Amino acid sequence: ITAEESEDEPPSREERADTRLGARDAPEGYSNGAVTEEAEGDRRRDEEEAEQPDQTPVLSNKPRKKKKKRKTRKTLAGETLEDNDLEDIDSLLQKIEDTSGLWQQTQSGIIADSRPLLYVEHRNLNPENELKRYFGARTVLGDQRPRQRQRQYVRSTWLTVPKNTWPRYGKTGIAMQLMDTRRGVQYFTFEHHREYQQVQFKFLDAVESMDPNNIVLLLQMNPFHVDSLLQLSDVCRMQEDQEMARDLVERALYSLESAFHPVFSLTSGTCRLDYRRPENRAFFLALFKHLMFLEKRGCPRTALEFCKLILSLDPENDPLCVLLMIDFLSLRAREYTFLIRMFQEWESHRNLSQLPNFAFSVPLAYFFLSQQEERSELELSQAREKAARLIQLALVMFPSVLMPLLDHCSVQPDARVANHSFFRLNAQISQPPTLNQLTCLYVGRTHSLWKDPAVMAWLETNVHEVLCMVDAQDPLVEESEHKRKMRYQSAPRNIYRHIILSEMKEATAALPLEVTSQPVMGFDPLPPLDSIISYTRPERTTHPSNESTLSLFFRSLLPNFNLQDLRPDGDEEAGAGQDLNQGVNRLMAAMRDMLANIQFQEPPRDDNPEGDGDWD
């Protein structure tokens, strides 16, 4: 084996010279240390190599091939990673995730995070990271790595990953401005430039035409118009083209993220957007639609992160009412501690226990925590006690949830529960319509989480405990009934907006008539009544419904013709108007005469009508 074929090449003379130079430049404190000894050893080896001839045997006259060095990449810690070791990045990220969580132990025995509640992590916004944890990097990425090296340069984004199939991005006419800063919270808004406003007017015309092809034509000219992308995504989803629908939503998010203000932060939780401004609504809706696709794709952890992001943009008003689904995503992603922490921190000022989804999901989270064997016995017993107490309060407050939940889970209740008046059909009929919408939404969305036999056995035990409380005439039962009658009289507009966007059949069927009777546009469902309008659409010329046949005839020839514009106003010009009418009447009479005198010439007849059968 020759020297050049060895695995590790000896350092060249230039490298040894650099080493000696570094030794000379070393601080005085290290002059008698290992650096000086290494430099002295290199000097002796150089002298020996200069005196002795090269002992390497020459096997042929071909020039020697130098062995290529492996490419290395330096990490933040100064270590080097070879290309073969890049596949272990996922395991390194997992270790970092486990060690950088900033978890602390609380007095209640539940582990809590010291970061802000709505803190968003960038890496959790990428669904590929979650899929790689489930299936491995090789399965998810496949042969994408070599292709990505040849991909054209695009700007780095957090919400989506740009695709090569997308049109080339250019200036769209959307910008973001910083409006105000109060108490450490920054208020931003999107703005539409004049060019984008003109495209927006064309989009509204295309929507009113009720023809999706007009939106397709508009997108060919303006491939990153956000509202057109969202509206066409709904059309593709209705046509069962889920891949194209998801791609259009991601393109809309990319267009909006490219217009972010330099100070706007996705993770801090201190940046706000006002939903009352129409320019901001597209960002809320694009995030929500992307969240729904992620949940259906099997990425609940990523969907939860997007849900936190939507809530952080306007946590006080919650225009899309994501509080009605954040519990479901937390349970699916097994983020039980986050759900419990949110309930503990927000219950005092948001009354989350008055929402059926939190009333039932929080005790379910405590129950799942009580099943984790790695926790101490004290923590498990505390979790079991809280789970039992909270689920009993939920059953007393919302008895109409039990029977539909069991029906969706295909579980037949025992005779005592089925025959008791507290849980029978009367509980669903007597509740207000608004509460019926919330219960239908929760049951339709989360019934799959209750199908576990262990969960059903735990629920059955607590249902019998509640029946004992009802039979004993516990004052809590009567108090809860009074709360149900006094509250839930009318639902706020954001709940209706959430039900429409969620497209849950059980909840959509329970919507009131005043919501279902009005047209709902996918790009702006149920706009706020106190919207802040920055620019208005120019008024289109409307024609009166009582137009004459003459006016309709002329408009068929000239679309912009309006007989009303030709009529003078005022009594002093009545004579001029009369002359105009007389002139029009004479014109109509002349046209009638012309049409009456039109004669069609008959084709000449052949002398031989039978024909000779030959073709010329």
Side-chain angles (χ1 to χ4, degrees):
I1 300 177
T2 59
E4 62 270 17
E5 294 176 352
S6 61
E7 183 70 16
D8 297 321
E9 278 189 354
S12 61
R13 295 193 176 185
E14 291 81 0
E15 295 175 348
R16 288 194 293 267
D18 294 340
T19 305
R20 292 194 298 272
L21 181 61
R24 296 191 189 102
D25 295 340
E28 295 181 358
Y30 295 91
S31 59
N32 297 326
V35 177
T36 307
E37 295 176 0
E38 292 177 1
E40 184 65 22
D42 293 338
R43 185 181 62 80
R44 293 171 183 169
R45 284 193 295 269
D46 290 342
E47 294 176 355
E48 293 175 359
E49 290 177 2
E51 295 174 357
Q52 297 179 0
D54 192 344
Q55 301 296 330
T56 304
V58 179
L59 301 180
S60 64
N61 295 327
K62 295 181 180 180
R64 291 183 301 172
K65 295 182 180 180
K66 293 185 178 180
K67 185 174 179 60
K68 295 182 179 180
K69 293 184 178 181
R70 295 184 179 181
K71 296 181 180 179
T72 58
R73 298 184 183 180
K74 292 188 177 181
T75 60
L76 295 178
E79 301 173 353
T80 58
L81 289 176
E82 298 180 355
D83 283 343
N84 296 336
D85 298 331
L86 291 177
E87 298 172 357
D88 298 333
I89 291 179
D90 297 328
S91 60
L92 296 177
L93 289 177
Q94 186 66 28
K95 294 178 181 178
I96 295 174
E97 179 182 0
D98 295 339
T99 57
S100 64
L102 301 179
W103 298 101
Q104 294 180 352
Q105 190 80 11
T106 60
Q107 296 179 356
S108 60
I110 301 300
I111 297 179
D113 195 345
S114 61
R115 294 172 296 188
L117 179 66
L118 299 180
Y119 177 83
V120 177
E121 297 185 52
H122 280 145
R123 58 189 175 87
N124 288 332
L125 294 174
N126 188 356
E128 287 189 356
N129 293 335
E130 183 173 5
L131 292 175
K132 284 189 289 186
R133 285 198 291 268
Y134 296 151
F135 306 107
R138 291 182 179 272
T139 305
V140 176
L141 294 179
D143 55 348
Q144 293 181 11
R145 283 181 178 173
R147 294 180 183 178
Q148 287 180 354
R149 295 173 182 172
Q150 302 174 1
R151 188 181 64 185
Q152 59 181 352
Y153 174 77
V154 292
R155 61 177 297 166
S156 177
T157 53
W158 293 109
L159 297 178
T160 58
V161 179
K163 300 179 181 179
N164 294 330
T165 57
W166 290 357
R168 187 175 184 86
Y169 180 80
K171 291 184 178 180
T172 60
I174 304 179
M176 179 183 278
Q177 298 295 332
L178 176 61
M179 301 290 292
D180 192 11
T181 301
R182 297 192 303 269
R183 299 178 180 178
V185 178
Q186 298 170 321
Y187 296 86
F188 296 86
T189 182
F190 285 97
E191 289 184 351
H192 294 170
H193 296 165
R194 184 175 299 275
E195 297 80 7
Y196 194 90
Q197 294 179 13
Q198 299 300 323
V199 179
Q200 189 73 11
F201 299 151
K202 295 179 182 179
F203 164 73
L204 296 177
D205 294 338
V207 171
E208 291 179 355
S209 68
M210 306 297 292
D211 187 1
N213 294 321
N214 294 333
I215 302 179
V216 175
L217 294 176
L218 182 62
L219 276 177
Q220 291 178 355
M221 301 298 296
N222 306 275
F224 285 94
H225 182 253
V226 179
D227 285 344
S228 298
L229 292 169
L230 297 180
Q231 189 72 20
L232 190 60
S233 174
D234 291 342
V235 175
C236 294
R237 187 168 43 81
M238 294 176 184
Q239 296 177 353
E240 302 298 330
D241 191 354
Q242 302 292 333
E243 188 67 26
M244 177 59 68
R246 188 178 66 192
D247 185 79
L248 293 172
V249 172
E250 291 180 358
R251 200 199 303 181
L253 280 176
Y254 178 74
S255 177
L256 291 168
E257 187 176 1
S258 300
F260 278 177
H261 192 276
V263 186
F264 185 81
S265 173
L266 293 172
T267 60
S268 63
T270 59
C271 297
R272 302 287 185 265
L273 287 175
D274 194 348
Y275 192 81
R276 294 177 299 173
R277 296 182 179 272
E279 297 89 344
N280 296 336
R281 295 172 196 166
F283 188 51
F284 283 89
L285 296 172
L287 289 174
F288 191 91
K289 294 177 184 291
H290 187 58
L291 178 154
M292 298 295 293
F293 282 118
L294 289 172
E295 194 274 326
K296 294 178 181 178
R297 193 181 174 186
C299 301
R301 183 65 184 87
T302 311
L304 174 62
E305 210 70 14
F306 273 92
C307 193
K308 291 160 60 178
L309 175 59
I310 298 175
L311 188 58
S312 68
L313 296 176
D314 194 354
E316 296 299 326
N317 300 313
D318 192 11
L320 300 186
C321 207
V322 293
L323 281 177
L324 295 179
M325 67 183 310
I326 196 170
D327 61 302
F328 167 67
L329 297 175
S330 301
L331 292 175
R332 278 209 58 194
R334 300 181 181 180
E335 294 290 330
Y336 310 128
T337 55
F338 168 77
L339 178 59
I340 294 172
R341 180 190 173 193
M342 185 176 194
F343 180 76
Q344 292 174 348
E345 293 185 8
W346 285 26
E347 169 63 17
S348 59
H349 66 283
R350 298 295 289 269
N351 292 326
L352 296 182
S353 60
Q354 300 307 305
L355 294 174
N357 58 312
F358 272 93
F360 281 87
S361 293
V362 172
L364 187 59
Y366 274 113
F367 173 76
F368 286 139
L369 284 179
S370 67
Q371 303 298 307
Q372 297 179 352
E373 299 179 354
E374 63 271 13
R375 297 183 179 274
S376 64
E377 186 61 33
L378 177 61
E379 294 176 356
L380 297 180
S381 62
Q382 290 179 348
R384 283 192 293 267
E385 293 176 0
K386 291 184 177 181
R389 179 170 54 86
L390 292 176
I391 192 61
Q392 293 175 16
L393 292 176
L395 290 170
V396 170
M397 185 65 194
F398 307 106
S400 59
V401 174
L402 180 63
M403 288 304 179
L405 182 61
L406 296 179
D407 185 40
H408 277 75
C409 296
S410 302
V411 174
Q412 184 67 28
D414 55 17
R416 182 189 178 193
V417 177
N419 297 328
H420 203 284
S421 60
F422 188 70
F423 290 116
R424 278 192 303 188
L425 186 61
N426 185 35
Q428 305 176 37
I429 298 176
S430 61
Q431 68 180 358
T434 301
L435 182 57
N436 187 34
Q437 298 160 13
L438 295 177
T439 55
C440 291
L441 181 67
Y442 176 74
V443 172
R445 174 175 284 157
T446 61
H447 63 87
S448 59
L449 300 174
W450 294 83
K451 291 184 177 181
D452 188 3
V455 175
M456 273 297 162
W458 166 73
L459 178 63
E460 181 184 7
T461 303
N462 290 279
V463 166
H464 286 285
E465 292 291 335
V466 170
L467 289 182
C468 294
M469 295 171 58
V470 174
D471 295 337
Q473 296 182 353
D474 194 305
L476 181 62
V477 178
E478 185 178 356
E479 180 183 352
S480 301
E481 183 179 1
H482 178 69
K483 289 181 180 180
R484 285 196 302 272
K485 292 181 179 180
M486 296 300 296
R487 302 172 181 176
Y488 314 104
Q489 296 299 321
S490 61
R493 202 170 178 84
N494 60 342
I495 290 182
Y496 293 148
R497 196 178 295 124
H498 177 87
I499 294 175
I500 292 173
L501 291 173
S502 299
E503 296 183 349
M504 198 70 60
K505 293 185 295 183
E506 296 84 354
T508 306
L511 286 174
L513 183 61
E514 60 268 17
V515 176
T516 56
S517 60
Q518 57 180 314
V520 177
M521 298 298 177
F523 66 94
D524 190 9
L526 297 181
L529 301 177
D530 55 346
S531 299
I532 302 176
I533 306 298
S534 58
Y535 66 94
T536 56
R537 181 184 180 188
E539 295 184 2
R540 304 182 65 185
T541 55
T542 57
H543 307 292
S545 58
N546 55 351
E547 290 182 311
S548 61
T549 306
L550 175 64
S551 178
L552 294 175
F553 171 74
F554 278 108
R555 186 170 299 117
S556 65
L557 302 177
L558 301 173
N560 295 327
F561 173 80
N562 190 3
L563 185 61
Q564 303 295 329
D565 298 338
L566 300 178
R567 294 178 180 176
D569 298 332
D571 297 336
E572 65 277 1
E573 298 190 12
Q578 186 176 2
D579 294 339
L580 176 63
N581 291 334
Q582 291 177 0
V584 173
N585 291 333
R586 287 195 296 269
L587 176 62
M588 290 298 299
M591 293 184 65
R592 282 195 296 268
D593 294 339
M594 181 185 67
L595 294 175
N597 294 328
I598 291 178
Q599 296 181 358
F600 298 96
Q601 184 179 2
E602 295 182 0
R605 295 183 178 181
D606 195 356
D607 296 337
N608 185 13
E610 298 294 335
D612 53 2
D614 296 335
W615 292 87
D616 294 335

